[in-house]
Amino acid sequence: MEALLIEGDTILAAFWMTIRLTAVSALGSLVLGTLLTAMRVAPLAALRAAAGTYVSVARNTPLTLVLLFTGLGVGANLGVELSDDIATNNFWLACIGLTAYTSAFVCEALRSGLNTVPVGQAEAARSLGLGFVKTLRLITLPQAFRAVVAPLGSILIALTKNTTIALVVGVSEASVRMREMIETYGDQVIQIFLGFAAGFVLLCLPMGLLFGWLSRRMAVAR
Amino acid sequence: MTQEALIVLDRVNKRFGDHHVLRDVDLTVSKGEVVVIIGPSGAGKSTLCRAINRLETIDAGTITVDGTPLPAEGKALARLRAEVGMVFQSFNLFAHKTVLDNVVLGQVHVLKRPKDAAERKARELLDRVGIGGQAAKYPAQLSGGQQQRVAIARALAMDPKVILFDEPTSALDPEMVNEVLEVMTALARDGMTMVVVTHEMGFARRAADRVVFMADGEIVEQDTPDGFFTAPGSERAQSFLAKILTH
């Protein structure tokens, strides 16, 4: 146990990085996922096709590949620099990769949510003179969001755990810290594993509870 | 009643695959006129009603509203829809908005009215249709009759030139039909231009200026309510009336 106690501060710092990766990528995925959803139902066929292709590619590519692509492809090869500080640069590259990947899942969840909104809601909105964007923004998407709160919660939990793959871009989040500790404290591997696993459960369990509660609270009565 | 034409349909045709739902429909609705469309199921009544604000596209012919041909899409179509109110069979109140917000939304986001003015107008209209006390509730907390009256208030809030009613009482429990028909009758009396698809013959007799009888996608005949109900000219109208009035 003492390894976990001695390294308490560095473990917390590593989990703090996990939380930051999760928070930024979650926000990014929500925005990009919503945009993709709007594109997938847009009146313009080109927009629908573009979003559909994007979702198919991002959803069916392993996250490790996506992150390697952002790290090595976008970062190293194309030389995209988001910050002078290498750690900060890697952080943002990881967030881009995680967002690119997760937004495809958010899009699919939201699209299934849109399908639960009766067609009459959009017809009523259009008959008042609301255009495509306002109908989506004011009427159909808000109801779609409320319908998919629980699946969005699952996506957030998956994202939290997926941040461990940011190690391939060189971000020192919880799983990197765990590996380092296993090398230093070779006699306490099991305890270290259990400690970090508990950390993730502690992080994810409240999310599940919160989203379960939210989905009941926000459900639209029909 | 003035004779100025507000809605003009000229040789309107529509097909759903092999099914020819609207055949060469010509119809003119004047300002202030109440036109009730009746006929058997599948006659194309609802399709006709929905075509007037282009919720249903047409294959041939023209539809003109207040002198302007129905725009195909985009901002011009949205503007036109704002001038043409619509009341649906299934109410279609925005389920995630309160009753008040349902009536405010179009005023604020389409007509760009200030929020407080829009709320004042919404409350007036809700009082007018007899549900002022329910403004803070959500649609699902209301009865069908109350929801449909909110839907009428929502349409009225846009100060439309005409309101289209697509079987407004068909989804209601029998005891709630009258409360909705009373609101519609009052509107008709106040001079609102209305196109009403309905099976309520009592309402047609009482409130209509003209009854249009449709069957198999065609307008078979049209007349004043008295003329139509006492002496229908066509065989199809006679057999339709015989079926519904003998019970």
Side-chain angles (χ1 to χ4, degrees):
Chain A
M1 271 302 278
E2 65 259 45
L4 291 170
L5 297 175
I6 296 165
E7 299 285 351
D9 286 353
T10 63
I11 294 172
L12 282 182
F15 268 108
W16 176 232
M17 177 56 83
T18 299
I19 291 170
R20 282 168 56 203
L21 279 172
T22 307
V24 173
S25 309
L27 208 65
S29 309
L30 206 58
V31 173
L32 185 57
T34 307
L35 196 70
L36 285 167
T37 310
M39 285 170 69
R40 291 199 80 169
V41 296
L44 265 171
L47 285 179
R48 289 200 299 274
T53 309
Y54 177 85
V55 169
S56 296
V57 171
R59 203 157 69 110
N60 296 306
T61 308
L63 177 57
T64 314
L65 258 67
V66 174
L67 281 171
L68 280 173
F69 175 76
T70 43
L72 299 175
V74 179
N77 213 326
L78 296 175
V80 174
E81 265 192 49
L82 301 159
S83 166
D84 292 338
D85 176 42
I86 183 129
T88 314
N89 191 46
N90 288 349
F91 171 79
W92 285 110
L93 284 173
C95 288
I96 289 172
L98 286 165
T99 298
Y101 178 80
T102 311
S103 55
F105 292 88
V106 171
C107 172
E108 284 301 279
L110 267 181
R111 202 163 63 101
S112 76
L114 272 185
N115 290 337
T116 70
V117 180
V119 64
Q121 295 284 308
E123 284 188 347
R126 284 155 62 205
S127 78
L128 285 180
L130 293 168
F132 168 76
V133 173
K134 276 195 169 175
T135 297
L136 212 54
R137 182 167 68 82
L138 297 170
I139 307 301
T140 45
L141 268 182
Q143 295 186 54
F145 264 108
R146 286 154 172 256
V148 296
V149 170
L152 285 179
S154 299
I155 293 173
L156 179 63
I157 289 172
L159 170 64
T160 310
K161 297 184 293 180
N162 283 344
T163 57
T164 54
I165 303 176
L167 71 89
V168 304
V169 205
V171 176
S172 303
E173 41 64 58
S175 75
V176 170
R177 188 75 203 105
M178 186 182 81
R179 276 193 182 191
E180 292 166 356
M181 281 179 62
I182 286 170
E183 278 167 29
T184 319
Y185 306 91
D187 56 335
Q188 299 175 45
V189 174
I190 303 288
Q191 292 94 318
I192 291 169
F193 264 124
L194 291 176
F196 276 88
F200 275 100
V201 171
L202 232 60
L203 214 52
C204 293
L205 204 59
M207 289 182 194
L209 294 173
L210 174 71
F211 275 78
W213 177 76
L214 271 179
S215 78
R216 281 189 301 278
R217 218 188 120 82
M218 294 177 70
V220 178
R222 297 201 190 278
Chain B
M1 195 206 326
T2 56
Q3 285 305 310
E4 202 177 339
L6 185 61
I7 299 173
V8 180
L9 284 80
D10 185 27
R11 298 183 72 79
V12 170
N13 276 276
K14 172 157 184 96
R15 289 169 185 276
F16 285 122
D18 287 342
H19 188 37
H20 202 162
V21 277
L22 295 178
R23 298 167 192 257
D24 284 332
V25 172
D26 294 317
L27 180 69
T28 302
V29 179
S30 304
K31 277 187 182 147
E33 195 181 15
V34 177
V35 173
V36 170
I37 304 175
I38 63 173
S41 301
K45 310 182 297 287
S46 282
T47 308
L48 178 68
C49 186
R50 289 163 56 85
I52 296 174
N53 68 354
R54 212 178 158 82
L55 283 180
E56 217 63 81
T57 55
I58 56 172
D59 301 331
T62 56
I63 299 177
T64 315
V65 176
D66 207 9
T68 317
L70 212 52
E73 55 192 26
K75 288 218 164 68
L77 178 59
R79 246 195 316 277
L80 179 129
R81 281 175 171 154
E83 295 176 347
V84 178
M86 178 104 195
V87 174
F88 300 85
Q89 180 176 355
S90 49
F91 329 134
N92 295 347
L93 293 180
F94 303 130
H96 63 308
K97 299 271 182 194
T98 62
V99 163
L100 185 70
D101 286 344
N102 263 276
V103 186
V104 164
L105 189 130
Q107 300 185 61
V108 170
H109 288 280
V110 178
L111 303 180
K112 311 290 178 200
R113 283 188 189 138
K115 187 128 203 278
D116 53 342
E119 282 192 7
R120 219 175 310 126
K121 178 158 183 108
R123 287 188 192 283
E124 274 170 30
L125 287 168
L126 288 171
D127 281 338
R128 185 165 151 198
V129 298
I131 28 181
Q134 321 280 348
K137 288 191 178 167
Y138 284 87
Q141 295 171 288
L142 269 52
S143 73
Q146 290 173 324
Q147 288 190 55
Q148 195 59 300
R149 285 185 281 152
V150 176
I152 294 172
R154 178 174 69 179
L156 284 172
M158 306 296 287
D159 294 323
K161 290 175 178 165
V162 52
I163 303 186
L164 313 171
F165 293 81
D166 184 8
E167 302 204 20
T169 57
S170 298
L172 294 175
D173 291 335
E175 73 268 28
M176 292 166 187
V177 169
N178 276 336
E179 62 190 65
V180 172
L181 291 180
E182 274 162 25
V183 170
M184 290 169 59
T185 309
L187 275 183
R189 242 191 342 255
D190 292 348
M192 173 61 72
T193 310
M194 294 161 69
V195 175
V196 185
V197 173
T198 188
H199 294 293
E200 297 296 333
M201 299 304 144
F203 173 78
R205 264 179 196 278
R206 197 166 59 239
D209 295 311
R210 178 154 50 114
V211 174
V212 172
F213 176 74
M214 279 185 82
D216 301 321
E218 289 175 309
I219 292 181
V220 178
E221 64 174 284
Q222 38 187 321
D223 201 350
T224 59
D226 262 354
F228 177 77
F229 286 108
T230 49
S234 67
E235 203 175 305
R236 276 188 286 187
Q238 286 162 10
S239 97
F240 174 74
L241 286 178
K243 273 180 207 145
I244 55 165
L245 295 180
T246 46
H247 295 289

